[in-house]
Structure formats: C-alpha cells, structure tokens
Amino acid sequence: MSNTVSDVIALTQELIKRASITPLDEGCQPMMAQRLAPLGFNIEELFFTDTHNMWARKGKQSPVFCFAGHTDVVPTGPIEQWHINPFAGELRDGYIHGRGAADMKGSLAAMVVATERFIAKHPDHKGSIAFLITSDEEGPFINGTTKVIDVLENRNEKIDMCIVGEPSSTHKLGDVVKNGRRGSLTGFVTIEGIQGHVAYPHLAKNPIHLAAPIINELSTTVWDDGNAFFPATSFQVSNIEGGTGAGNVIPGTAKFQFNFRYSTEVTAEQLQQRVLSILDHYGVDYQIDWILNGLPFITEAGPLVDATIAAIEQVQHITPQLLTTGGTSDGRFIAQTGAQVVEVGPCNSTIHKVNECVNAAELEKLVDIYEAILVNTLT
C-alpha cells in the first residue's frame, strides 16, 4: 500500500505542476498516456480547434468501462491570496495543495493508479477499460468530451459504464455519489420600449416596468414537483440590464438573463413554450434567445450504481447518498449515448477557490474505491 500511496500522491503533484488553465492541457494527457500505454492501452489523441482530448482503450470486448475526466483547471484568481504556489503541488499537513488538486487532478491520478493495480492483479479481466480525458470541461465545453463522443458514436464504439471523477463528496470521501445531473437551459430576453424623459412618461414606454411583472411570474411559477431523483425545477434570474445611466431618461430597452436547472419531469422544449406563453400573455414587444447547456440524465440502480455503492461500503464503511444536485458535468454528454454514468470523487469544499487542496489520505482511499469498482464490474 505504501508504494501505491506514493504513486497517487506523486502523480497528483506532477499533474498540478502543469498550469493547464482551460483549454490548455500542458502535457497532462501525455503524462497519463505514458502510464497507460505499457498496460496495453491504445492511445488516440483527438485535437479539436484549441482542445486536447485523449481516448485510451485496452481491450476490444464489452462491457466498456470508462474513466472520464478533465485536465483543464479554472484560473487561480489573485496569486497573492494563495498560501502556497498554486502550481507547486506541495504536500503540507496531510493535504496536496494547488489549482486542480480536487477538481480534478487527484481523481485522474487515482484512476491511473487504480487501473495499474487492477490490471496487475487481473490481467485477464473481462470487457475493456477506457479513459476519456479532455482539456475543455471548465471552458465552453465545445471541443472536448462532446466532440470525442461524436467520434465514438460515428464508429459505433459504445461506452457501457462510466465513472466521472468530479469531486462529488461533501464531508467525507464517498458520502455522496452523483448518479445524475439536472438539465441547464439559459434564456436571454430583450423587452422593447420607447425611450423618453421621465417627466413625460405618457410619451414613452418603460421596458423595465414591462419586464417587472413578467419576471415576477416567471420566478413564482411552479414548473414541476421533481421526482424521486431530482428536486423541483428551479428558475433564477442571473442578470438584468436597463437604463442609460442618466436619472432622467426612460430607457428604450431592458434585458434580463435567466437559467433553468430542470429535472426529467419536463423537457427543454416544454420550458421554452411555457416561457413564451407568459411573455405573449403580457403583450410586450420582445426577443428571446436560448442556450441549452445540458440535458438531464439519471443512472438508476443497476450494475454500475450497485458496484459503486458496494466499493464505497467496502473501503469507507459508509453507504453513499445518491444525489443529482450541483452544476453540470461532462457526464451529460456520455449519458446521452445510453451509458450508465456516475460521478465519484474527493470532497468539493475547496474547488474553484483560492487555496484549493485535496486530502492525501482520502486520495489514497479513492484509489481503493476505483479499483474495487473495476473488480465489481470487470471480474
């Protein structure tokens, strides 16, 4: 075990030292490939526009078990606020510090080390093991996992089960497993009015006043009640823009941006139609544009969920809670192909923050969990 601990910590540190701010990879994927190729993995480098992607597969049989993740990280923020160089990967007081430590270079290292251990013990395992790694998860997610999935779908290469290494845990490693994610739909509304002087409102039409009751109705509408896997769909206004900056001018336009995080009880099309109905009801002159950021998905009890729960119970002696909360992940692209997808990773309390870090002891346990999941699914 001591060698394994050293391996996962060392690899995590080396990955953190690569300043792979999205969409840069900075050699992280080749570093992983150097560990995987001797195990019998066929390595494919898939580059799209500005994004490095890697598809690595060992074996030609089903089921295909895939580890998925990203090497890109968010920017550091103010360097002077970090206690430790964010790209030093320093181990201090039981934690590995640095940008990407928890999200998600620790998980990537654990995946590689767990795979090495598993293949050494089970060289004749059934099925195939794969890695789908991108450098475009923290960015616009245009040239990353979704493009790799397109390549795989075009040649009818199917992933059966997938572990995404997102930091899913809340208080203790393994206490939460994400077995689905909500959909995300964003709308951009422009309400047209008539600009004028505030002293002569009868000669103008204030679009902010027109927008106010619309926003109120949208924000108080019950879109659905959720279900056993998902909370009720939520609606939030994230930006409002209006006015010229002058205190005596009625603006000519008002704009607001909103986002739905929605369950499987509704579709994006249904939400769009209901929003349009509300806008039409008020008889305003409007334009609206949409961005569908991701579809909802759920992986119910079955081979992968059962194998994951059993692995966490074996290693951590706790039963994880299955949740679909939080933001989107690249799991949404993989799940749309029919794959079973769950997210299992370290605690997320420091992700995207100054002084991000990961508990080194829990990272060692994450190796054990990933290896146990491989044993439960491929032996």
Side-chain angles (χ1 to χ4, degrees), residues 163-164 166 168-170 172-179 304-323 342-346 362 365-374 376:
I163 293 290
V164 183
E166 290 292 343
S168 62
S169 304
T170 302
K172 179 181 180 180
L173 176 68
D175 61 358
V176 172
V177 167
K178 299 293 179 68
N179 65 322
L304 183 59
V305 169
D306 295 348
T308 302
I309 292 174
I312 292 172
E313 289 177 339
Q314 173 189 333
V315 174
Q316 289 291 82
H317 310 294
I318 59 174
T319 299
Q321 185 179 10
L322 300 177
L323 293 178
V342 299
E343 300 174 21
V344 184
E362 288 198 340
K365 292 295 185 180
L366 186 59
V367 175
D368 295 337
I369 290 171
Y370 286 162
E371 183 186 6
I373 294 173
L374 286 169
N376 294 343

Side-chain angles (χ1 to χ4, degrees), residues 119-303:
I119 291 175
K121 297 173 185 176
H122 306 278
D124 299 320
H125 63 83
K126 67 181 182 181
S128 303
I129 306 174
F131 281 73
L132 196 171
I133 310 298
T134 184
S135 65
D136 181 37
E137 196 274 345
E138 300 290 8
F141 53 80
I142 295 172
N143 296 308
T145 298
T146 182
K147 287 284 183 69
V148 178
I149 288 297
D150 288 343
V151 170
L152 298 178
E153 287 289 285
N154 286 337
R155 63 194 192 197
N156 199 32
E157 189 170 0
K158 292 288 188 179
I159 296 170
D160 296 292
M161 294 173 283
C162 180
I163 293 290
V164 183
E166 290 292 343
S168 62
S169 304
T170 302
H171 302 292
K172 179 181 180 180
L173 176 68
D175 61 358
V176 172
V177 167
K178 299 293 179 68
N179 65 322
R181 290 282 190 164
R182 295 174 294 176
S184 176
L185 175 67
T186 300
F188 304 85
V189 178
T190 299
I191 305 292
E192 300 290 345
I194 299 174
Q195 184 173 316
H197 197 293
V198 295
Y200 302 95
H202 59 289
L203 299 178
K205 183 187 291 184
N206 194 322
I208 296 176
H209 294 183
L210 298 175
I214 295 171
I215 292 174
N216 180 66
E217 182 165 344
L218 289 170
S219 62
T220 56
T221 294
V222 177
W223 304 94
D224 62 51
D225 296 319
N227 55 37
F229 299 104
F230 291 91
T233 292
S234 68
F235 170 92
Q236 290 293 316
V237 174
S238 53
N239 286 285
I240 296 179
E241 177 186 342
T244 64
N248 60 353
V249 178
I250 295 171
T253 60
K255 300 178 180 180
F256 66 94
Q257 178 183 348
F258 62 85
N259 178 264
F260 285 106
R261 293 303 165 104
Y262 67 98
S263 76
T264 51
E265 291 296 300
V266 291
T267 66
E269 292 75 19
Q270 289 172 331
L271 292 172
Q272 289 172 326
Q273 287 303 314
R274 292 178 66 182
V275 170
L276 294 177
S277 295
I278 291 172
L279 287 165
D280 291 339
H281 171 75
Y282 285 89
V284 296
D285 183 7
Y286 72 88
Q287 291 109 32
I288 186 167
D289 296 301
W290 302 92
I291 294 179
L292 180 59
N293 305 296
L295 298 171
F297 72 90
I298 189 72
T299 299
E300 300 187 36

Side-chain angles (χ1 to χ4, degrees), residues 347-361:
C347 292
N348 54 31
S349 57
T350 66
I351 64 172
H352 291 212
K353 294 181 180 180
V354 169
N355 298 317
E356 180 180 353
C357 59
V358 67
N359 185 301

